[in-house]
Amino acid sequence: MAAQDDAAHLHADTSEERTASKFGLLDADENLPQYHIEAQASLVERPLRALKYGEAFAVLDSYGDIGWYPGPEGLYFQDTRYLSRLALTIEDERPMMLSSAIQDDNGALSVDLTTPDIRLDAGDETAIPRELIAIERTKFLFKGACYDRIGLRNYDTRRRHLRIGVTFDADYRDLFEVRGSDRTNRGKRTVERRSDTEVQFRYAGLDEIVRTTSVHFGPKPHTLEPGKAEFVVELAPGANTSLFIRVLCQSHRAYTSAPGPEKAGEAAAAALSRAAGSLAEQPDRRLSEGRIFARAYRDNRRDQRQITAGITTIISSNDQFNEGLCRATADLYMLATRTQEGIYPFAGIPWYSTVFGRDGIITAMMALWIDPNFGKGVLRFLAATQAKEVDPAADAQPGKVLHETRRGEMAMLGEVPFRHYYGTIDGTPLFLMLAAQYHEVTGDLDTIRAIWPQLKLALDWIDTYGDRDGDGFVEYARETEQGLANQGWKDSHDSIFHANGAMAKGPIALCEVQGYVYAAKRGAARLASLLGEDDLSVRLSAAANTLRENFDKAFWCEEIGTYALALDGAKRQCAVRSSNTGHALFTDIALPERAPKVAAQLLSNDGFNGWGIRTIAKGEARYNPMSYHNGSIWPHDNAICALGLARYGLKDEAAQVFEGMFDTSLYYDQKRLPELFCGFMRRRQRGPVSYPVACSPQAWAAAAPFAFLAACLGLELDHARNRIRFRNPVLPRFLEAVELFNLKLGDSRADIRLHRHGHDVTVAVTRRVGDMQISMLK
């Protein structure tokens, strides 16, 4: 979010900052961000488990419960918490943990529990010794519902009677409330016991949307009341039984007036609502809850196999790297959400489980070579939701690409501006970049032709609304005070500043954005030529060449030995060393003679902390290794830098970044790279320092390992020439060999093995179907 900061600049609301603000110790322009995420508690202080399907996601504790402690735990649907508590007890005691893990494909959470020592009265005698009753819990999401099976088995030699309690609640807090926003007014919540097996919560929102949470139990509980169910279970020696909980999330408008014409933003909501897997389905009421669970579990598995069918897979000589790749793949497809336009990777859990333009584009770019369907879905969705008119409240102008869309009550009421928000300066050129890259890999000119009007409108936006003063650079300044102050990928309120620490005043031209525009125009020139618009192609090529020359003159800063972070509204350089310059390498806007100096800065002790490249180099005025964008480390940012280094032939440097990020993954649960982590220097026998409220999983962090590998292998897929090329491949020290299975180019497929011999890498084709050429270029 970075892209993500849909507002959220994950800013810890510490007591020191509150005190400083109270007594006027913060500058006027340094108040806490309007939409910051409060952080009285860290997401890393206790293990959390995430599940997602469609527009629903769950944040659970390691027991599979919700709400034992304050925090973001809950079952969410369309940016609203539909279930705020679901807690399991046995004889009023919490079970003891044995193990807890998300299954390898992210399909379900599996938890093994047992009974603690249970005393049924005030006496000293233990009524049920611990570890006699095994409890196996399985939870998953499917089509707007959460399924929960609680299996019990008696390993005692005696018959046992147990009271199993489930407490539950639904607070219908908007996700922005969960993140820390205060609200004065709320809708009306009611709850009723609808049958012997169902309790329903109902929330009539101020946005005239009725949201319901239906909690179903099977078999029939011994007692059921709003907020609590109790089962009385009798287990003979060796016997087992299962209890089931099914939670359905649904919403509908409270009135039936005919809808008006859909605008671009409303089309986004419609595309999500009508997509497969977004809405809860009512099963046949004649089925038992056990049968319902089994059918949903089977269909969930089939769905997962279907969405990943035919992708490129990777096996390496390093088992730990293989585990990380499997987790990254599972995360990508868990976050992938079906829309009418194809699959779209939602940005991250818990704060950004929705469409983000920038995040979706960059994720699709990094995953193009393993599955171009991400690229196709993102392109089609963003084309369908492109702004068509000027709307200052949404930071929208014709041709601009969506930043994010939200479905919660606060967004629907305009309490936050993110219902359909376009406040991103880089999403539009990135949209064009992705289109060119997608075509280069797939040769799918039909998709490009279908969205060509939107691509041309994006080009017009760059040269009109994007270039506010006609100097050839694209700048941003928000149109609404509710919007984001900074609108690049580093969109924290304090992320763009001068060498002395003073905040840059807009309109602001970011270093990396000019690179995106350069690559966008070059790519669009190629597409225009293919579509017979030769004059446009020539104009775009000439404009790109001019931009490259002017960029070097305006942004190169000899004083810091690299490109400046940005130009402020007076065209003064923000002479700050940053990771943004790696994006200039990625887009090829950097002059060749500058690349070694840019790389040296990125990999200096101030830039590279041993784990990765910092967003802002140590020693800069606002450097803070614990900040969101001013010294932290982001896997996707490092992957883009690695791709840029490789583009200029700096493969060893790219491998160095790859190695640091692989080492980082070893310290995280399930080898999963988080959204970001702190930028403290690497120390012996200690792992990286976590960021307290980072999303995990995060789409572009999940895609990063595939980008790192492609960078080091020099992988190029050229559909027009029917050629796969490995340009000067290298493998980092933790990899001796890598095998790529089902690598696709057009109708051709191949399995390829790359093996390291010292510093050299050999390429062997072990299977080929079709006539594509495969070569290695030194």
Side-chain angles (χ1 to χ4, degrees):
M1 170 215 97
Q4 292 119 218
D5 234 8
D6 52 357
H9 314 293
L10 300 165
H11 186 97
D13 185 13
T14 63
S15 59
E16 291 82 1
E17 285 170 326
R18 289 195 294 271
T19 302
S21 178
K22 178 179 179 180
F23 292 101
L25 300 180
L26 293 176
D27 294 341
D29 60 352
E30 293 186 67
N31 294 326
L32 293 180
Q34 187 174 1
Y35 307 107
H36 72 285
I37 294 174
E38 289 189 356
Q40 280 87 17
S42 169
L43 298 185
V44 300
E45 64 183 82
R46 55 192 174 87
L48 295 175
R49 305 288 185 251
L51 296 170
K52 178 187 170 296
Y53 187 92
E55 293 188 81
F57 72 91
V59 179
L60 312 165
D61 68 16
S62 56
Y63 290 75
D65 285 339
I66 294 169
W68 280 93
Y69 305 99
E73 294 167 16
L75 173 62
Y76 295 82
F77 183 63
Q78 296 178 347
D79 296 305
T80 301
R81 185 157 65 182
Y82 275 66
L83 197 67
S84 54
R85 181 168 179 81
L86 186 73
L88 174 69
T89 59
I90 298 182
E91 298 292 348
D92 299 322
E93 299 287 340
R94 196 173 198 194
M96 287 200 307
M97 170 67 63
L98 298 178
S99 70
S100 172
I102 295 289
Q103 294 178 4
D104 288 346
D105 61 359
N106 281 338
L109 170 66
S110 298
V111 183
D112 288 295
L113 307 163
T114 188
T115 47
D117 287 323
I118 295 175
R119 303 177 190 275
L120 298 181
D121 52 39
D124 293 331
E125 183 181 353
T126 299
I128 303 178
R130 68 180 183 271
E131 302 160 6
L132 290 181
I133 309 298
I135 307 163
E136 183 181 4
R137 196 170 186 183
T138 303
K139 300 190 72 148
F140 66 94
L141 304 185
F142 188 60
K143 293 190 174 181
C146 179
Y147 296 85
D148 194 345
R149 173 188 173 272
I150 302 163
L152 301 128
R153 180 179 292 274
N154 181 12
Y155 284 95
D156 198 359
T157 56
R158 295 175 48 188
R159 181 179 296 272
R160 290 294 180 180
H161 295 263
L162 302 169
R163 286 187 303 113
I164 311 298
V166 180
T167 56
F168 51 97
D169 199 3
D171 64 3
Y172 294 102
R173 293 184 73 195
D174 189 282
L175 184 62
F176 283 89
E177 290 183 88
V178 179
R179 285 168 36 161
S181 297
D182 295 324
R183 296 190 71 195
T184 303
N185 300 313
R186 293 183 53 81
K188 182 179 179 180
R189 194 198 79 143
T190 58
V191 58
E192 66 171 323
R193 181 179 179 271
R194 292 171 61 90
S195 74
D196 290 343
T197 60
E198 178 188 356
V199 170
Q200 185 179 89
F201 297 88
R202 185 177 186 273
Y203 178 72
L206 301 177
D207 56 355
E208 298 185 302
I209 293 178
V210 176
R211 299 168 172 88
T212 60
T213 307
S214 301
V215 186
H216 298 259
F217 296 92
K220 183 176 72 174
H222 182 70
T223 61
L224 178 62
E225 57 190 74
K228 186 174 183 179
E230 186 170 278
F231 298 86
V232 176
V233 175
E234 181 178 343
L235 289 174
N240 66 84
T241 191
S242 292
L243 312 176
F244 297 91
I245 307 169
R246 175 169 52 96
V247 183
L248 274 69
C249 306
Q250 296 178 304
S251 65
H252 64 272
R253 288 203 170 274
Y255 56 89
T256 58
S257 58
E262 286 184 354
K263 298 181 180 179
E266 301 304 328
L272 289 171
S273 291
R274 293 194 294 261
S278 290
L279 303 178
E281 294 183 351
Q282 286 282 2
D284 188 336
R285 291 184 177 274
R286 294 172 296 181
L287 296 177
S288 69
E289 287 297 328
R291 292 282 299 278
I292 292 170
F293 178 95
R295 287 191 176 188
Y297 189 81
R298 177 201 63 195
D299 291 345
N300 188 329
R301 291 295 179 185
R302 287 176 177 174
D303 183 80
Q304 289 177 335
R305 289 195 296 269
Q306 180 185 48
I307 199 173
T308 57
I311 68 171
T312 297
T313 57
I314 304 155
I315 296 179
S316 78
S317 56
N318 188 310
D319 289 340
Q320 292 178 310
F321 183 59
N322 294 338
E323 289 180 38
L325 286 177
C326 287
R327 177 56 52 197
T329 302
D331 286 348
L332 273 177
Y333 288 96
M334 180 175 73
L335 293 168
T337 302
R338 289 177 173 83
T339 77
Q340 281 194 314
E341 308 300 338
I343 58 172
Y344 199 106
F346 277 17
I349 296 174
W351 314 121
Y352 309 113
S353 187
T354 187
V355 166
F356 277 84
R358 179 192 301 119
D359 292 54
I361 293 169
I362 291 177
T363 299
M365 283 182 177
M366 293 193 289
L368 265 179
W369 69 279
I370 65 164
D371 189 354
N373 286 318
F374 281 108
K376 185 175 184 177
V378 169
L379 286 170
R380 288 172 54 90
F381 188 93
L382 295 179
T385 56
Q386 187 179 40
K388 300 297 190 296
E389 59 189 14
V390 174
D391 182 0
D395 269 329
Q397 303 98 29
K400 203 173 186 183
V401 163
L402 186 72
H403 174 59
E404 69 177 293
T405 182
R406 292 285 187 174
R407 309 288 297 281
E409 184 180 14
M410 293 179 70
M412 300 297 283
L413 293 171
E415 295 176 19
V416 294
F418 306 113
R419 182 179 182 183
H420 312 298
Y421 182 61
Y422 291 83
T424 168
I425 194 62
D426 51 10
T428 306
L430 284 168
F431 172 60
L432 289 155
M433 281 183 65
L434 176 59
Q437 291 184 15
Y438 171 79
H439 178 264
E440 183 176 10
V441 168
T442 65
D444 180 7
L445 196 58
D446 289 342
T447 294
I448 299 302
R449 187 177 286 109
I451 65 172
W452 184 238
Q454 288 80 16
L455 294 173
K456 291 178 69 174
L457 197 59
L459 288 166
D460 290 341
W461 178 87
I462 286 173
D463 290 336
T464 53
Y465 298 99
D467 185 1
R468 290 169 172 261
D469 55 11
D471 67 344
F473 298 134
V474 170
E475 307 96 357
Y476 66 86
R478 63 181 174 184
E479 302 294 331
T480 170
E481 287 302 311
Q482 278 194 301
L484 299 178
N486 287 313
Q487 297 187 356
W489 89 261
K490 296 178 181 177
D491 52 7
S492 296
H493 73 295
D494 60 349
S495 60
I496 309 300
F497 56 95
H498 286 283
N500 63 1
M503 303 301 296
K505 305 296 183 182
I508 293 171
L510 293 170
C511 165
E512 75 275 14
V513 171
Q514 314 319 310
Y516 301 155
V517 172
Y518 170 74
K521 290 189 173 182
R522 287 184 64 193
R526 294 192 297 272
L527 297 178
S529 179
L530 290 170
L531 293 171
E533 299 198 31
D534 293 337
D535 289 343
L536 176 60
S537 178
V538 170
R539 290 199 304 273
L540 289 171
S541 294
N545 292 336
T546 300
L547 175 58
R548 194 185 202 204
E549 294 176 6
N550 292 339
F551 171 79
D552 190 74
K553 293 175 184 177
F555 279 82
W556 183 257
C557 181
E558 197 63 45
E559 179 183 353
I560 60 174
T562 190
Y563 290 108
L565 169 64
L567 304 181
D568 69 7
K571 306 303 176 186
R572 295 178 301 175
Q573 290 183 344
C574 295
V576 175
R577 296 168 296 159
S578 70
S579 65
N580 303 54
T581 58
H583 296 230
L585 300 179
F586 170 64
T587 58
D588 201 35
I589 196 173
L591 297 182
E593 59 268 27
R594 305 294 195 194
K597 292 184 178 180
V598 173
Q601 183 276 313
L602 291 172
L603 294 171
S604 68
N605 287 336
D606 290 343
F608 185 78
N609 77 337
W611 302 112
I613 297 169
R614 298 180 173 109
T615 46
I616 294 294
K618 182 179 179 181
E620 298 296 344
R622 287 183 174 267
Y623 167 75
N624 175 356
M626 299 179 291
S627 73
Y628 196 50
H629 285 131
N630 289 343
S632 57
I633 295 170
W634 293 64
H636 90 278
D637 185 35
N638 275 251
I640 288 174
C641 290
L643 287 166
L645 292 165
R647 175 184 286 275
Y648 286 80
L650 303 170
K651 289 297 188 66
D652 290 338
E653 290 83 349
Q656 181 182 344
V657 181
F658 190 6
E659 288 175 8
M661 205 56 56
F662 167 72
D663 290 347
T664 297
S665 72
L666 301 182
Y667 287 89
Y668 281 92
D669 186 32
Q670 302 174 313
K671 311 294 188 300
R672 171 186 281 159
L673 288 172
E675 176 187 15
L676 73 157
F677 54 96
C678 292
F680 291 107
M681 203 67 188
R682 185 170 182 170
R683 288 168 283 186
R684 290 181 180 275
Q685 299 181 346
R686 295 186 62 177
V689 179
S690 296
Y691 187 77
V693 285
C695 286
S696 183
Q698 179 85 354
W700 57 13
F706 304 104
F708 283 119
L709 188 58
C712 288
L713 297 183
L715 179 60
E716 299 175 358
L717 277 66
D718 188 341
H719 186 276
R721 294 180 175 84
N722 194 30
R723 180 181 68 194
I724 292 178
R725 174 180 284 174
F726 296 91
R727 186 181 293 272
N728 189 26
V730 302
L731 284 173
R733 289 173 295 181
F734 65 88
L735 292 178
E736 288 188 8
V738 170
E739 290 187 81
L740 313 179
F741 295 94
N742 200 39
L743 186 60
K744 298 177 291 295
L745 189 68
D747 295 328
S748 300
R749 305 285 186 273
D751 298 342
I752 302 171
R753 177 178 174 83
L754 297 100
H755 196 281
R756 177 167 57 83
H757 305 272
H759 194 267
D760 293 327
V761 173
T762 58
V763 178
V765 179
T766 58
R767 182 184 70 98
R768 174 165 26 198
V769 178
D771 60 352
M772 65 178 169
Q773 304 171 33
I774 301 171
S775 62
M776 183 176 70
L777 180 67
K778 282 290 187 179

